[in-house]
Amino acid sequence: MSGKKKNQGLILQGNLLQAILALCIPIALNSLLQSMYNLTDTYWLGKIGTNPMAAITLISPIQNIVINFGQGITAAGAILMAQLIGGKDKEGAKGMVGQLFLSAMIFAVVCSALCIASADGIVGWMGAEGEIFSLSKTYLSIVMIDVPFLFLINLYTAVNQAQGDTVRPMLLNVAGILLNMVLDPLFMLGFRWGIAGAALATVLAKVPSALLAFWLLARRNQEIFLDLTKLHFDKEKLLLIAKIGLPTAIGSSTMQFGFLLMSKNVYAYGPVAVAAYGIGNKVNSLVTMPCNAVGSATATIVGQNMGAKQQDRAEKAYKLARRLAVVTLFLGGMVLSRPLVSRSIVSIFSEDPEVIFLAAQFLGIMAICCWTNGIYNSTMGLFQGTGHTMITMTVDATRLWVFRFLTLFVCESVFHMGVQSIWYSVVVSNASSALILLICYKLNIWKKEVIRVEKKEVEICG
């Protein structure tokens, strides 16, 4: 039995803990591999100096706005395909692949071109000056070439994840990571290209994986594949993708735009604070990666079971996933919050004592409360899997625009906490959003039908 068939059996009839682990372990490893692109850049840039580190931290939210909008579209496709697969409509799922490909590629090419053409204005608006302006513009202009290749990889991931296969997407990234690990030091230090070398290495490392992803998607010896002979716009399917995907895309992009404004706030405290903020976020993302994976696994399991009309089983899977994520993060956070541990980890990415001190402080504060991300991600998975992406969009937006900026304002203006205002605004906003999602779950909003899946037919419910 193939991995896809075996996992689909687990999702719909088998042991739910086994199903969650079978999906989330490869997703977590795949996320780790994806993160290695930026972590490798961060490590080698730290060897060059604080300004290059600050520049990449300043630009990362701009990248993420584009990337997260595109991921909202592919996530919608994964939700729709999961429900179609659960409803035994393989032809409908196959048709969805072509629409996702067209939507994602057009968006990727247009956004990449616009960002490259507007690099001067974007970096200037961020408030960068002098050397950091020059470094940020260089990095942005090169790294945005990577977007269409990344979207192809994400499309391949979404198509396979909807079918319960999270191993192949993980394996696809291994070659790119290894190539990036070689190219980064070669371009940055060997050829002395600095931050331009970091960006170019990231782009070139994704090309082989993206081309392989395209070839694998188009192979016809699969039940669900990209049929290039029938590649045309389908109004009905595009409306479905927009209905489910746009709220996720807008919510994620709005959140990333909030991160961009957060970076502007951090920049007001100087390059040392920006570098510390970037390091702390990257290390924290590694700690929370398992619960992000649990959230993605939950969306797939819930989606397939809702398509199969097994609502009770979908809820049981969510509760189990939530407990698993909370316990894992609580234990990991307790370890990471120890000063000796946090300082040892952040010192890998910088040799500047001031950066190490601030980054360790930030990381320690986030680690103590990171277990709330377990509630946040698993419950987001529940609402995404049931198609309630308006809920996820609203929570994503309020997390940054209400809770984070409000906490930041109070800490800075009322308590005069300085750069620590940034650290506490992150913790408070994450915990508040987790609480709101938990309340929405208790109100049974997720049980309202949004996507009606029938054989050969998918309907949008009002």
Side-chain angles (χ1 to χ4, degrees):
M1 184 183 291
S2 70
K4 291 179 182 178
K5 292 287 186 183
K6 182 179 178 181
N7 283 352
Q8 285 176 33
L10 279 174
I11 289 167
L12 296 174
Q13 290 102 26
N15 182 284
L16 282 173
L17 178 59
Q18 191 177 346
I20 292 168
L21 293 176
L23 292 180
C24 79
I25 291 174
I27 291 173
L29 291 174
N30 189 33
S31 297
L32 176 62
L33 291 172
Q34 292 278 10
S35 297
M36 288 304 295
Y37 284 105
N38 281 334
L39 285 172
T40 304
D41 286 352
T42 302
Y43 175 81
W44 290 110
L45 284 169
K47 302 297 181 184
I48 298 173
T50 298
N51 281 352
M53 183 84 72
I56 196 173
T57 300
L58 201 67
I59 292 305
S60 291
I62 298 168
Q63 281 181 270
N64 291 336
I65 288 172
V66 176
I67 291 168
N68 276 264
F69 195 96
Q71 284 178 337
I73 302 300
T74 54
I79 292 164
L80 291 164
M81 282 188 284
Q83 294 213 12
L84 286 163
I85 291 164
K88 308 298 182 186
D89 185 1
K90 300 293 175 67
E91 283 300 313
K94 186 173 75 173
M96 198 64 69
V97 180
Q99 301 310 303
L100 280 173
F101 175 78
L102 288 171
S103 303
M105 287 302 99
I106 291 171
F107 174 79
V109 171
V110 170
C111 278
S112 179
L114 286 175
C115 286
I116 292 169
S118 308
D120 267 344
I122 292 170
V123 175
W125 177 79
M126 289 290 292
E129 298 175 344
E131 184 185 10
I132 293 180
F133 177 92
S134 176
L135 293 171
S136 298
K137 178 190 170 184
T138 298
Y139 188 80
L140 179 64
S141 299
I142 297 172
V143 83
M144 290 307 296
I145 299 170
D146 145 280
V147 175
F149 301 110
L150 177 61
F151 277 29
L152 267 175
I153 296 168
N154 289 342
L155 177 61
Y156 177 79
T157 300
V159 170
N160 281 273
Q161 189 171 313
Q163 299 173 75
D165 180 6
T166 54
V167 174
R168 285 181 176 86
M170 176 192 70
L171 296 175
L172 181 69
N173 282 305
V174 172
I177 295 301
L178 294 175
L179 183 58
N180 190 52
M181 286 181 171
V182 173
L183 293 180
D184 257 339
L186 178 65
F187 287 177
M188 277 192 272
L189 301 178
F191 295 164
R192 299 185 182 279
W193 291 348
I195 201 167
L200 187 60
T202 299
V203 173
L204 293 179
K206 285 199 177 73
V207 173
S209 295
L211 295 177
L212 181 58
F214 179 73
W215 178 74
L216 291 170
L217 281 169
R219 287 194 309 165
R220 304 179 70 88
N221 62 339
Q222 310 167 92
E223 286 184 329
I224 299 172
F225 62 91
L226 174 61
D227 192 344
L228 297 173
T229 64
K230 297 180 181 178
L231 209 56
H232 58 85
F233 289 108
D234 183 319
K235 183 179 177 181
E236 183 182 351
K237 287 186 172 64
L238 287 173
L239 281 173
L240 277 166
I241 293 170
K243 167 81 174 182
I244 304 301
L246 279 180
T248 301
I250 292 169
S252 296
S253 296
T254 302
M255 184 176 68
Q256 291 301 326
F257 187 70
F259 285 147
L260 187 149
L261 294 182
M262 282 292 292
S263 294
K264 285 192 70 174
N265 277 279
V266 180
Y267 189 73
Y269 292 100
V272 170
V274 175
Y277 179 68
I279 293 171
N281 273 330
K282 285 181 173 65
V283 176
N284 186 62
S285 72
L286 292 178
V287 179
T288 57
M289 204 169 281
C291 88
N292 294 339
V294 169
S296 296
T298 302
T300 299
I301 294 170
V302 168
Q304 287 202 23
N305 277 285
M306 293 298 285
K309 311 300 182 185
Q310 298 180 162
Q311 189 181 85
D312 289 344
R313 183 173 173 83
E315 184 174 18
K316 184 180 177 182
Y318 157 67
K319 288 180 177 178
L320 183 59
R322 188 181 68 198
R323 288 195 296 270
L324 182 65
V326 169
V327 170
T328 301
L329 283 184
F330 179 79
L331 295 175
M334 288 302 101
V335 174
L336 194 60
S337 64
R338 301 304 91 194
L340 180 62
V341 176
S342 57
R343 285 183 65 86
S344 299
I345 291 174
V346 300
S347 63
I348 296 171
F349 301 101
S350 178
E351 297 175 358
D352 186 325
E354 291 183 82
V355 172
I356 291 171
F357 172 77
L358 285 179
Q361 184 185 71
F362 179 32
L363 185 59
I365 291 169
M366 285 194 298
I368 292 173
C369 298
C370 70
W371 60 271
T372 61
N373 287 33
I375 298 172
Y376 180 86
N377 283 281
S378 57
T379 313
M380 287 286 275
L382 172 70
F383 283 106
Q384 287 170 349
T386 54
H388 285 275
T389 51
M390 285 298 294
I391 297 291
T392 61
M393 179 190 75
T394 304
V395 173
D396 265 344
T398 55
R399 179 157 73 115
L400 265 293
W401 293 96
V402 178
F403 298 117
R404 189 157 301 182
F405 286 115
L406 181 60
T407 305
L408 181 61
F409 174 78
V410 171
C411 289
E412 282 185 331
S413 303
V414 179
F415 298 114
H416 307 291
M417 295 171 63
V419 73
Q420 288 191 14
S421 304
I422 306 289
W423 312 160
Y424 283 102
S425 70
V426 173
V427 171
V428 171
S429 61
N430 289 346
S432 301
S433 298
L435 178 60
I436 289 174
L437 280 170
L438 200 56
I439 291 169
C440 289
Y441 160 69
K442 293 293 185 181
L443 292 174
N444 290 326
I445 296 172
W446 68 277
K447 291 182 178 179
K448 181 182 177 183
E449 194 173 37
V450 176
I451 307 168
R452 184 176 298 124
V453 180
E454 305 291 348
K455 185 71 173 176
K456 305 298 181 186
E457 183 179 8
V458 181
E459 299 177 13
I460 305 175
C461 300

